Amino acid sequence: MQKELQDYYENRFSMMATPGWQDLLEDLEIMIKATDTLAGIDSEQQLYFKKGEMSILNWIKNLRDASAEVYDQLQAEEQDA
């Protein structure tokens, strides 16, 4: 794995190991529960906006697992080479 890519993932995992990241995840859970509803949706535009909000919230929530999966795949590819 290239040094730059290795540093990228190590920095990301370091950030995700902080208490601040855990606080953010707790806040995300609250936001997801509040946002994951069709209440108050009066138009198709609002529906698509809400869909976008949920997409971003879930992306951040799952970022640690997704990053770990890609990192593991990169390491496995390097070992197979």
Side-chain angles (χ1 to χ4, degrees):
M1 183 181 321
Q2 296 176 356
K3 175 76 171 124
E4 185 176 290
L5 189 55
Q6 175 99 24
D7 290 346
Y8 171 83
Y9 280 102
E10 287 177 4
N11 289 335
R12 179 172 277 196
F13 294 135
S14 178
M15 173 190 68
M16 292 175 182
T18 66
W21 183 260
Q22 294 306 311
D23 291 342
L24 175 62
L25 290 179
E26 290 173 14
D27 291 344
L28 281 173
E29 286 297 329
I30 293 167
M31 292 173 70
I32 288 169
K33 286 179 185 174
T35 305
D36 195 14
T37 178
L38 295 177
I41 300 294
D42 297 323
S43 69
E44 188 175 338
Q45 183 179 7
Q46 289 175 328
L47 178 64
Y48 285 118
F49 183 83
K50 176 107 28 189
K51 183 178 177 183
E53 283 182 309
M54 288 301 299
S55 177
I56 295 297
L57 292 170
N58 282 311
W59 178 78
I60 297 170
K61 176 184 171 186
N62 296 312
L63 185 59
R64 172 71 172 93
D65 292 339
S67 296
E69 185 176 326
V70 172
Y71 184 76
D72 290 344
Q73 287 174 356
L74 289 170
Q75 286 186 318
E77 288 173 7
E78 186 176 276
Q79 290 175 358
D80 291 341

